Amino acid sequence: MLIRHSIVYVAARLLAGALSLLTTALLTWALSPAEYGVYGLALVVMSFASNIGFDWLALAFSRFGQATQNRSKAVTAIVCIFAALVAVTGVIALMVAGVSAPSHIVGPVLIGMILAWTLAWFELAGRFAIMCFRPLTYLSMNVVRAVGILALAVGAAALTRDPLLTAAATAFGMILGALLARFPGEKI
């Protein structure tokens, strides 16, 4: 079982990575260098905020979700902490965008925060699928996310040439993948 599950988890990451590479290539074709730079800035904000603000939560979820007798309480606690982190990081992003950021940076910062929240939720949902020993759910989550981002972000870029709409479409792709986990209402 370990080898089979590991193969599926690796395949999930490889397929998602290959589709992400294709998405990047198509976005560099669909957006001008300046537009792609704005999109890239939103992705940098996403990565920074997600890594600093939320990565520890997925690790805590893995640890305490497995260790506790009442897993539904652990799930509830993690979701409440996630909501509190969204509120705190949202206030911080609004303060940064409203006080110290130049006007052309405000949009990418705010969209980047939305991306950070969707990425963090996707990662939590992925941990949930792993904890429930659902490698095929994890695979489908990653493939749907990657295909969703490919279709929505490249479509938005090609139709609008707006990097912020392209970034918002990227967030929707992540949400599509996370929805497959049936998280958090399901028991472990």
Side-chain angles (χ1 to χ4, degrees):
M1 182 167 93
L2 175 65
I3 293 173
R4 257 190 326 211
H5 284 200
S6 297
I7 290 169
V8 175
Y9 293 133
V10 169
R13 291 297 195 168
L14 288 176
L15 285 169
L19 290 170
S20 178
L21 185 62
L22 177 60
T23 300
T24 300
L26 292 172
L27 286 176
T28 59
W29 168 78
L31 297 172
S32 72
E35 293 163 343
Y36 191 80
V38 172
Y39 176 77
L41 179 58
L43 293 184
V44 166
V45 171
M46 171 196 72
S47 295
F48 182 75
S50 181
N51 289 339
I52 298 295
F54 293 93
D55 276 0
W56 66 271
L57 189 59
L59 295 172
F61 184 49
S62 294
R63 171 68 177 99
F64 293 111
Q66 291 289 349
T68 185
Q69 293 292 344
N70 189 343
R71 290 187 178 146
S72 63
K73 282 188 179 182
V75 170
T76 302
I78 293 296
V79 171
C80 289
I81 293 169
F82 178 84
L85 285 173
V86 167
V88 168
T89 57
V91 168
I92 292 170
L94 288 172
M95 288 185 343
V96 167
V99 174
S100 62
S103 61
H104 66 283
I105 302 296
V106 172
V109 167
L110 296 179
I111 292 289
M113 284 309 303
I114 293 169
L115 284 164
W117 299 331
T118 60
L119 176 60
W121 186 255
F122 180 86
E123 291 299 327
L124 277 176
R127 295 287 175 142
F128 186 76
I130 290 168
M131 284 175 54
C132 293
F133 299 105
R134 294 189 184 132
L136 295 178
T137 298
Y138 185 77
L139 173 69
S140 62
M141 286 174 59
N142 277 279
V143 170
V144 167
R145 173 184 66 163
V147 169
I149 291 170
L150 173 66
L152 295 172
V154 172
L159 292 174
T160 67
R161 298 187 62 86
D162 185 331
L164 298 180
L165 286 176
T166 302
T170 300
F172 282 115
M174 281 190 260
I175 291 169
L176 289 175
L179 289 175
L180 294 178
R182 301 180 305 256
F183 175 79
E186 189 175 341
K187 291 183 181 179
I188 296 177

